[in-house]
Amino acid sequence: MILFTTLIALIFSTQQVHAFGSKPRDPVPAPAPKPTPKPTPTPNPGNCSNYMSRTEWERWAKDIRDAGGRVKDESAYANTVSGFKAYLRDSGASSARADEMSIPANSSAAKKCGISNMLPDRCAWIRGAAFALWADKLAKISGGATKIRNWYRPKCYNSAVGGASGSDHLTARSIDLYFTSSSKRRTAQNNLCSVWNSSRNIQVGLGGTMLHIGFESPRGKRFWTYASWGDGNISSTCYGKR
């Protein structure tokens, strides 16, 4: 009897609610599923094992990290100047370096060799990122703009511009970095002394307003001067004291 009375009261109460115009609540829709983010490609030195040793790859990666950059997977970028520009930007370097490093400094030599840009194999892009970060760093230290004029040189182009047959530009292991004055070049040159005095396989060429900087040359650590260098006795620098 009590159960029957309670049921009647519940039905009457529900009817009253409907009679006064109240509507039952609409069901709450389930939240839309969140899109799964695309995984960030992890740099894999194994992708370039036929191009450079893992030891060399790790040295370039360390150069990038030491300069405050990020090691990125080059295979995730288009094999174009625009792709290289995006790669440098994501590595932490100035994307403007991509044009400096990929546009031929000698247009007539490039035309003779049928070259439209100076991009090397993508496996060498890690070297380019390290050099671009160094160029940015030395520009800040020297207090002036810097410009990379030579990075990678294909064999035909290197011959056309009179480059050495064993040049490290052929393997994208060096750059020629230009400064706005010899004093700014000297400031940058002195900053490189800490690297020169370490165990790093570095190559340094000293010019008037230019520094040739190389790493990992098969011919080992060395330095030289160009005819434009006019700072006096080389023994007064860290490079002449080894």
Side-chain angles (χ1 to χ4, degrees), residues 43 56-74 87-88 90-93 123-134 137 200 215:
E56 182 184 346
W57 186 94
E58 288 176 345
R59 285 172 181 156
W60 289 106
K62 185 177 185 301
D63 286 334
I64 290 172
R65 295 188 185 102
D66 287 349
R70 299 172 294 275
V71 181
K72 308 301 291 185
D73 179 9
E74 67 286 333
Y87 173 78
L88 289 186
D90 293 346
S91 297
C123 285
W125 285 14
I126 190 171
R127 298 170 181 163
F131 283 129
L133 285 161
W134 263 108
K137 177 181 178 180
R200 190 74 170 93
F215 292 112

Side-chain angles (χ1 to χ4, degrees), residues 67-86:
R70 299 172 294 275
V71 181
K72 308 301 291 185
D73 179 9
E74 67 286 333
S75 67
Y77 298 84
N79 193 15
T80 61
V81 174
S82 295
F84 183 55
K85 187 173 291 188

